[in-house]
C-alpha cells in the first residue's frame, strides 16, 4: 500500500478511463514485455496474468527465484543472479522491439 494524496485519488476517479490499464491494453498496437520474478507476490503475479490475458502478444518473461526487486536491497549491494537475468531479458526485449516493425 502506497499512500496517495487526495488530489491523485480525485484525478484517478475523474480520469478513470485513462488509468484503466486492463481496459486499454487489449487494443495496444505496441509490444508488451513483462519481466517479473517467479517469487513476486501473488497480487502482482495475478495482475501480470490479467495483463497477459488481455493482450495476447504479451511476452511475460519470468525470472526464476526473483522477487519484486530481483533480490536486491537498498542500499544497493550489487547484482544478484535474478537481477542479471532481468537485465538480460530487458536488453533482449529492447533489441527485439528495435528489429520489429509494429
Amino acid at each position: 500500500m502506497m499512500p496517495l494524496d487526495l488530489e491523485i485519488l480525485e484525478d484517478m476517479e475523474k480520469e478513470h478511463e485513462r488509468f484503466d490499464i486492463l481496459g486499454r491494453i487489449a487494443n495496444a498496437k505496441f509490444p508488451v514485455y513483462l519481466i517479473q520474478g517467479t517469487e513476486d507476490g501473488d497480487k502482482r503475479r495475478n495482475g501480470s496474468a490479467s495483463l497477459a490475458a488481455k493482450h495476447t502478444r504479451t511476452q511475460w518473461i519470468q525470472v526464476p527465484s526473483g522477487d519484486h526487486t530481483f533480490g536486491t536491497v537498498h542500499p544497493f549491494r550489487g547484482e544478484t543472479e535474478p537481477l542479471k537475468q532481468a537485465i538480460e531479458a530487458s536488453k533482449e526485449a529492447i533489441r527485439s522491439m528495435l528489429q520489429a516493425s509494429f
Side-chain angles (χ1 to χ4, degrees):
M1 297 291 295
M2 293 182 63
L4 298 176
D5 291 334
L6 182 58
E7 183 176 308
I8 293 171
L9 293 174
E10 289 171 345
D11 186 46
M12 289 176 70
E13 286 179 8
K14 180 181 172 190
E15 302 288 337
H16 61 78
E17 289 181 17
R18 281 184 50 221
F19 295 112
D20 178 14
I21 295 171
L22 288 176
R24 296 183 70 184
I25 196 76
N27 298 318
K29 305 289 187 234
F30 49 84
V32 175
Y33 290 84
L34 299 173
I35 301 171
Q36 183 174 37
T38 59
E39 303 305 311
D40 206 351
D42 287 342
K43 189 171 186 177
R44 289 185 184 103
R45 292 191 51 76
N46 290 339
S48 295
S50 295
L51 283 170
K54 292 282 185 178
H55 188 268
T56 57
R57 295 182 337 191
T58 295
Q59 298 283 329
W60 187 9
I61 301 154
Q62 301 182 49
V63 177
S65 302
D67 58 9
H68 189 61
T69 62
F70 300 103
T72 62
V73 295
H74 179 75
F76 187 66
R77 294 193 183 127
E79 288 181 324
T80 62
E81 189 56 37
L83 179 60
K84 290 177 186 177
Q85 291 177 29
I87 290 169
E88 286 305 312
S90 298
K91 289 167 37 177
E92 183 57 37
I94 292 167
R95 278 192 286 271
S96 178
M97 285 187 283
L98 291 173
Q99 293 174 355
S101 58
F102 50 90

